[in-house]
Amino acid sequence: DLNVVPVPTNRPMIRKDNPDDVFVSQMAKFRAVYREAKEMYDQGRPVLIGTTSVNNSELLSKIFRENKLPHQVLNARPEVVEKEAEIVAQAGRWRKITIST
């Protein structure tokens, strides 16, 4: 048995711990991601969205295209390789949305 000693934080906690969002389907989740990205885009904030697969990044991109929300997709597709450096360079700029796998 090892004794455990809790170490208090040096400063008061400032992070707001929000409850988890639970969705009934993947499409409901992607629509929520779109809404949040749109809100950030309208404020001029850059957005980076990480996905778990190339298919998910392309599905999310389709939702963004259907709603005419400008974005870039950075994934493992061969056609993206040539533009990869430019996409990375633009990520983080004003009103830039990057969907990445």
Side-chain angles (χ1 to χ4, degrees), residues 4 7 26 36 49 66 70 75 83 85 96:
V4 177
V7 178
Q26 185 179 42
E36 178 122 5
I49 301 166
E66 288 171 352
N75 60 26
K83 298 189 299 182
K96 292 293 180 184

Side-chain angles (χ1 to χ4, degrees), residues 61 65 71-75 77-91 98-99:
S61 177
R65 279 193 315 273
H71 65 284
Q72 293 290 322
V73 178
L74 182 60
N75 60 26
R77 295 277 185 205
E79 58 270 17
V80 178
V81 172
E82 291 180 11
K83 298 189 299 182
E84 188 173 302
E86 181 62 23
I87 293 170
V88 171
Q90 295 300 315
T98 308
I99 301 171

Side-chain angles (χ1 to χ4, degrees), residues 40-55:
M40 296 299 111
Y41 176 83
D42 289 344
Q43 294 173 18
R45 296 175 65 181
V47 179
L48 174 61
I49 301 166
T51 64
T52 57
S53 71
V54 171
N55 288 340

Side-chain angles (χ1 to χ4, degrees):
D1 286 320
L2 292 174
N3 292 330
V4 177
V5 178
V7 178
T9 59
N10 186 35
R11 296 183 180 163
M13 195 63 160
I14 60 172
R15 181 182 65 210
K16 184 178 178 184
D17 197 10
N18 294 320
D20 294 336
D21 291 328
V22 180
F23 301 96
V24 297
S25 69
Q26 185 179 42
M27 281 308 294
K29 177 180 175 179
F30 285 170
R31 284 192 298 268
V33 169
Y34 164 78
R35 285 191 301 272
E36 178 122 5
K38 173 80 165 93
E39 184 178 315
M40 296 299 111
Y41 176 83
D42 289 344
Q43 294 173 18
R45 296 175 65 181
V47 179
L48 174 61
I49 301 166
T51 64
T52 57
S53 71
V54 171
N55 288 340
N56 284 346
S57 66
E58 291 178 348
L59 181 56
L60 201 49
S61 177
K62 180 180 178 207
I63 293 168
F64 280 47
R65 279 193 315 273
E66 288 171 352
N67 289 283
K68 297 179 178 36
L69 188 59
H71 65 284
Q72 293 290 322
V73 178
L74 182 60
N75 60 26
R77 295 277 185 205
E79 58 270 17
V80 178
V81 172
E82 291 180 11
K83 298 189 299 182
E84 188 173 302
E86 181 62 23
I87 293 170
V88 171
Q90 295 300 315
R93 295 195 180 205
W94 185 75
R95 296 185 98 183
K96 292 293 180 184
I97 298 175
T98 308
I99 301 171
S100 179
T101 303

